[in-house]
Every structure is written in structure tokens, then in C-alpha cells.
Coordinates of all heavy atoms in Angstrom, one line a residue:
G6 N 24.2 12.8 -18.9 CA 22.7 12.7 -18.9 C 22.1 14.0 -19.0 O 22.0 14.6 -20.1
A7 N 21.6 14.6 -17.9 CA 21.0 15.9 -18.0 C 22.1 17.0 -18.5 O 23.3 16.9 -18.0 CB 20.5 16.4 -16.5
Q8 N 21.7 17.9 -19.2 CA 22.7 18.7 -19.9 C 23.0 19.9 -18.9 O 22.3 20.8 -19.0 CB 22.1 19.1 -21.2 CG 21.9 18.0 -22.2 CD 20.9 18.2 -23.3 OE1 20.0 19.0 -23.1 NE2 21.1 17.5 -24.4
G9 N 24.1 19.7 -18.2 CA 24.5 20.6 -17.1 C 25.7 21.6 -17.6 O 25.8 22.0 -18.7
A10 N 26.5 21.9 -16.6 CA 27.6 22.9 -16.9 C 28.5 22.5 -18.0 O 28.9 23.3 -18.9 CB 28.3 23.2 -15.6
A11 N 28.9 21.2 -18.0 CA 29.9 20.8 -19.0 C 29.3 20.8 -20.4 O 30.0 21.3 -21.3 CB 30.3 19.3 -18.7
A12 N 28.0 20.5 -20.5 CA 27.3 20.5 -21.8 C 27.3 22.0 -22.3 O 27.4 22.2 -23.5 CB 26.0 19.8 -21.6
K13 N 26.9 23.0 -21.3 CA 26.7 24.2 -21.8 C 28.0 24.8 -22.4 O 28.0 25.6 -23.2 CB 26.1 25.1 -20.6 CG 24.8 24.8 -20.2 CD 24.3 25.5 -18.9 CE 22.8 25.2 -18.6 NZ 22.4 25.8 -17.4
M14 N 29.1 24.4 -21.7 CA 30.5 24.9 -22.2 C 30.7 24.5 -23.6 O 31.4 25.3 -24.3 CB 31.5 24.4 -21.2 CG 31.6 25.0 -19.9 SD 32.9 24.3 -18.9 CE 34.4 24.9 -19.8
L15 N 30.2 23.3 -24.0 CA 30.4 22.8 -25.4 C 29.4 23.1 -26.3 O 29.4 22.7 -27.5 CB 30.8 21.4 -25.3 CG 32.0 21.0 -24.3 CD1 32.1 19.5 -24.3 CD2 33.2 21.6 -24.9
G16 N 28.3 23.7 -25.9 CA 27.1 23.9 -26.8 C 26.3 22.7 -27.0 O 25.5 22.6 -28.0
A17 N 26.5 21.7 -26.1 CA 25.7 20.3 -26.3 C 24.5 20.5 -25.5 O 24.3 19.8 -24.5 CB 26.5 19.2 -25.8
V18 N 23.6 21.4 -25.8 CA 22.4 21.7 -25.1 C 21.1 21.3 -26.0 O 21.1 21.2 -27.2 CB 22.2 23.3 -24.7 CG1 23.4 23.5 -23.8 CG2 22.4 24.1 -26.0
R19 N 20.0 21.3 -25.3 CA 18.7 20.9 -26.0 C 18.3 22.1 -26.8 O 18.5 23.2 -26.6 CB 17.7 20.8 -24.9 CG 16.3 20.3 -25.4 CD 15.3 20.3 -24.2 NE 14.9 21.6 -23.7 CZ 14.0 22.4 -24.3 NH1 13.4 22.1 -25.4 NH2 13.7 23.6 -23.7
D20 N 17.8 21.7 -28.1 CA 17.2 22.6 -29.0 C 15.9 23.1 -28.4 O 14.9 22.4 -28.2 CB 17.0 21.9 -30.3 CG 16.5 22.9 -31.4 OD1 16.0 24.0 -31.1 OD2 16.6 22.6 -32.5
P21 N 15.8 24.4 -28.1 CA 14.6 24.9 -27.5 C 13.3 24.8 -28.3 O 12.3 24.9 -27.8 CB 15.0 26.5 -27.3 CG 16.1 26.7 -28.3 CD 16.8 25.5 -28.4
D22 N 13.5 24.6 -29.6 CA 12.4 24.4 -30.4 C 11.8 23.1 -30.5 O 10.9 22.7 -31.2 CB 12.6 24.9 -31.9 CG 12.8 26.5 -31.9 OD1 12.2 27.1 -31.1 OD2 13.7 26.9 -32.7
E23 N 12.5 22.1 -29.9 CA 12.1 20.7 -30.0 C 11.5 20.1 -28.7 O 11.6 20.8 -27.7 CB 13.4 19.8 -30.3 CG 14.1 20.0 -31.6 CD 13.2 19.5 -32.7 OE1 12.2 18.8 -32.5 OE2 13.6 19.7 -33.9
T24 N 10.8 19.1 -28.8 CA 10.2 18.3 -27.8 C 11.1 18.0 -26.6 O 12.2 17.6 -26.9 CB 9.5 17.1 -28.3 OG1 8.6 17.5 -29.3 CG2 8.7 16.4 -27.2
F25 N 10.7 18.0 -25.4 CA 11.3 17.3 -24.3 C 10.3 16.7 -23.4 O 9.0 16.9 -23.7 CB 12.2 18.4 -23.4 CG 11.4 19.4 -22.7 CD1 11.2 19.1 -21.3 CD2 11.2 20.6 -23.2 CE1 10.5 20.1 -20.6 CE2 10.4 21.6 -22.7 CZ 10.1 21.3 -21.3
G26 N 10.6 16.0 -22.5 CA 9.6 15.3 -21.6 C 10.0 15.5 -20.2 O 11.0 15.8 -19.7
L27 N 8.8 15.3 -19.4 CA 9.0 15.2 -17.9 C 8.5 14.0 -17.4 O 7.4 13.4 -18.0 CB 8.4 16.4 -17.2 CG 8.9 17.8 -17.4 CD1 8.1 18.8 -16.8 CD2 10.3 17.9 -16.9
A28 N 9.0 13.3 -16.4 CA 8.5 12.1 -15.9 C 8.7 12.1 -14.3 O 9.5 12.8 -13.8 CB 9.2 10.8 -16.5
I29 N 7.9 11.1 -13.7 CA 8.0 11.0 -12.3 C 7.8 9.5 -11.9 O 6.9 8.8 -12.6 CB 7.1 11.9 -11.5 CG1 7.2 11.8 -10.0 CG2 5.5 11.6 -11.9 CD1 6.4 13.0 -9.3
R30 N 8.5 9.0 -10.9 CA 8.3 7.6 -10.6 C 8.4 7.4 -9.0 O 8.9 8.3 -8.4 CB 9.3 6.7 -11.2 CG 10.7 6.9 -10.8 CD 11.0 5.8 -9.8 NE 12.5 5.8 -9.5 CZ 12.9 6.3 -8.3 NH1 12.0 6.8 -7.4 NH2 14.2 6.3 -8.0
A31 N 7.8 6.3 -8.7 CA 7.9 5.9 -7.2 C 7.9 4.4 -7.3 O 7.7 3.7 -8.2 CB 6.7 6.4 -6.4
Y32 N 8.3 3.8 -6.1 CA 8.2 2.4 -5.9 C 7.1 2.1 -4.9 O 6.9 2.8 -3.9 CB 9.5 1.8 -5.3 CG 10.7 1.9 -6.3 CD1 11.7 2.9 -6.0 CD2 10.8 1.1 -7.4 CE1 12.7 3.1 -7.0 CE2 11.9 1.2 -8.3 CZ 12.8 2.2 -8.0 OH 13.8 2.3 -8.9
A33 N 6.3 0.9 -5.2 CA 5.3 0.5 -4.2 C 5.2 -0.9 -4.2 O 5.6 -1.7 -5.2 CB 3.9 1.2 -4.8
P34 N 4.8 -1.6 -3.1 CA 4.7 -3.0 -3.0 C 3.4 -3.5 -3.8 O 2.5 -2.8 -3.9 CB 4.5 -3.2 -1.5 CG 3.9 -1.9 -1.0 CD 4.6 -0.9 -1.8
T35 N 3.6 -4.6 -4.4 CA 2.5 -5.4 -5.0 C 2.7 -6.8 -5.1 O 3.8 -7.3 -5.2 CB 2.4 -4.8 -6.4 OG1 1.4 -5.5 -7.2 CG2 3.6 -4.9 -7.3
P36 N 1.6 -7.6 -5.0 CA 1.8 -9.1 -5.1 C 2.0 -9.5 -6.6 O 2.4 -10.7 -6.8 CB 0.4 -9.6 -4.6 CG -0.6 -8.4 -4.8 CD 0.2 -7.3 -4.6
R37 N 1.9 -8.6 -7.5 CA 2.2 -8.9 -8.9 C 3.6 -8.5 -9.3 O 3.8 -8.4 -10.5 CB 1.1 -8.1 -9.8 CG -0.4 -8.5 -9.6 CD -1.3 -7.7 -10.4 NE -1.1 -7.7 -11.8 CZ -1.8 -7.0 -12.7 NH1 -2.9 -6.3 -12.2 NH2 -1.5 -7.1 -14.0
H38 N 4.4 -8.4 -8.4 CA 5.8 -7.9 -8.7 C 6.6 -8.9 -9.6 O 7.6 -8.5 -10.3 CB 6.5 -7.7 -7.4 CG 6.8 -9.1 -6.7 ND1 8.1 -9.8 -6.8 CD2 6.0 -9.8 -5.8 CE1 7.9 -10.9 -6.1 NE2 6.8 -10.9 -5.5
A39 N 6.2 -10.1 -9.6 CA 7.0 -11.2 -10.5 C 6.4 -11.2 -11.9 O 6.9 -12.1 -12.6 CB 6.9 -12.4 -9.8
E40 N 5.4 -10.5 -12.2 CA 4.9 -10.5 -13.6 C 6.0 -10.3 -14.7 O 7.0 -9.5 -14.4 CB 3.7 -9.6 -13.8 CG 2.5 -10.0 -13.1 CD 1.2 -9.3 -13.6 OE1 1.4 -8.5 -14.6 OE2 0.2 -9.4 -13.1
R41 N 5.8 -10.8 -15.8 CA 6.9 -10.7 -16.8 C 6.4 -9.9 -18.0 O 7.0 -10.0 -19.1 CB 7.3 -12.1 -17.2 CG 8.1 -12.8 -16.2 CD 9.0 -14.0 -16.7 NE 9.9 -14.4 -15.7 CZ 10.7 -15.4 -15.8 NH1 10.9 -16.0 -17.0 NH2 11.6 -15.8 -14.9
H42 N 5.4 -9.0 -17.8 CA 5.2 -8.1 -18.8 C 5.1 -6.7 -18.2 O 4.6 -6.5 -17.1 CB 3.7 -8.4 -19.3 CG 3.6 -9.4 -20.4 ND1 3.9 -10.7 -20.2 CD2 3.5 -9.3 -21.8 CE1 3.8 -11.4 -21.4 NE2 3.5 -10.6 -22.3
L43 N 5.7 -5.7 -18.9 CA 5.5 -4.3 -18.6 C 4.2 -3.9 -18.8 O 3.4 -4.5 -19.8 CB 6.5 -3.4 -19.4 CG 8.0 -3.8 -19.3 CD1 8.8 -2.9 -20.3 CD2 8.6 -3.7 -17.9
E44 N 3.6 -3.0 -18.2 CA 2.3 -2.4 -18.6 C 2.4 -1.0 -18.8 O 3.0 -0.1 -18.2 CB 1.4 -2.7 -17.3 CG -0.1 -2.2 -17.7 CD -1.1 -2.6 -16.6 OE1 -1.3 -3.9 -16.4 OE2 -1.6 -1.7 -15.8
A45 N 1.8 -0.5 -20.0 CA 1.8 0.9 -20.3 C 0.4 1.3 -20.7 O -0.2 0.9 -21.5 CB 2.7 1.2 -21.5
C46 N -0.1 2.3 -19.9 CA -1.4 2.9 -20.2 C -1.2 4.2 -21.1 O -0.7 5.3 -20.7 CB -2.1 3.4 -18.9 SG -3.6 4.2 -19.1
L47 N -1.6 4.0 -22.4 CA -1.3 5.1 -23.4 C -2.3 6.2 -23.3 O -2.1 7.3 -23.8 CB -1.3 4.5 -24.8 CG -0.4 3.2 -24.9 CD1 -0.4 2.7 -26.4 CD2 1.1 3.6 -24.6
S48 N -3.6 5.9 -22.7 CA -4.6 6.8 -22.6 C -4.6 7.5 -21.2 O -5.4 7.4 -20.4 CB -6.0 6.2 -22.9 OG -6.1 5.1 -22.0
L49 N -3.5 8.3 -21.0 CA -3.3 8.9 -19.7 C -4.0 10.2 -19.6 O -4.1 11.0 -20.6 CB -1.8 9.2 -19.6 CG -1.2 9.7 -18.3 CD1 -1.5 8.7 -17.1 CD2 0.2 10.1 -18.4
R50 N -4.7 10.5 -18.5 CA -5.5 11.7 -18.3 C -5.1 12.3 -17.0 O -4.7 11.8 -16.1 CB -7.0 11.4 -18.4 CG -7.5 10.9 -19.7 CD -9.0 10.6 -19.6 NE -9.6 10.1 -20.9 CZ -9.9 10.9 -21.9 NH1 -9.9 12.2 -21.7 NH2 -10.4 10.4 -23.0
D51 N -5.2 13.8 -17.1 CA -4.9 14.4 -15.8 C -6.2 14.5 -14.9 O -7.2 13.9 -15.3 CB -4.4 15.9 -16.1 CG -5.5 16.8 -16.9 OD1 -6.7 16.4 -16.8 OD2 -5.0 17.7 -17.3
E52 N -6.1 15.3 -13.8 CA -7.3 15.3 -12.9 C -8.5 16.0 -13.5 O -9.6 15.8 -12.9 CB -6.8 16.0 -11.6 CG -6.6 17.5 -11.7 CD -5.2 17.9 -12.1 OE1 -4.6 17.1 -12.8 OE2 -4.8 19.0 -11.9
H53 N -8.3 16.7 -14.6 CA -9.4 17.4 -15.2 C -10.0 16.5 -16.3 O -11.0 16.9 -17.0 CB -9.0 18.7 -15.7 CG -8.4 19.6 -14.8 ND1 -9.1 20.0 -13.7 CD2 -7.1 20.1 -14.8 CE1 -8.3 20.9 -12.9 NE2 -7.0 20.8 -13.5

């Protein structure tokens, strides 16, 4: 998964000139938990 010590030994590391991503998740209760569609908000904005 994450490119750690074993990957570094073999040169299987991320290209520093290429894109990478960061993500964060949590779990929360909701009455809509049984819905059968994922939801993706593509117009994401920060606090500014």
C-alpha cells in the first residue's frame, strides 16, 4: 500500500513530479444508511 521501507529498498517509490492525493474519512450515524447510491460532491470548497 503506502510506499514504505520495502518499497524504498527496491526503488518502488512515488515519482516526485507526479500527482498524489490526500484524503480523510470518518463514520457517522444517519437514517439514510441503507441508500443504494454513493454520493459524490464534485464542487468541493475549503473554508475560504
Side-chain angles (χ1 to χ4, degrees):
Q8 296 159 336
K13 290 177 182 177
M14 287 180 62
L15 300 176
V18 295
R19 183 182 71 83
D20 186 336
D22 294 326
E23 292 290 356
T24 305
F25 68 94
L27 291 177
I29 188 170
R30 69 99 174 104
Y32 294 104
T35 174
R37 294 174 59 181
H38 67 94
E40 287 197 6
R41 291 200 167 182
H42 277 70
L43 306 177
E44 183 170 290
C46 176
L47 307 181
S48 49
L49 188 64
R50 293 180 181 274
D51 66 15
E52 72 272 23
H53 306 297

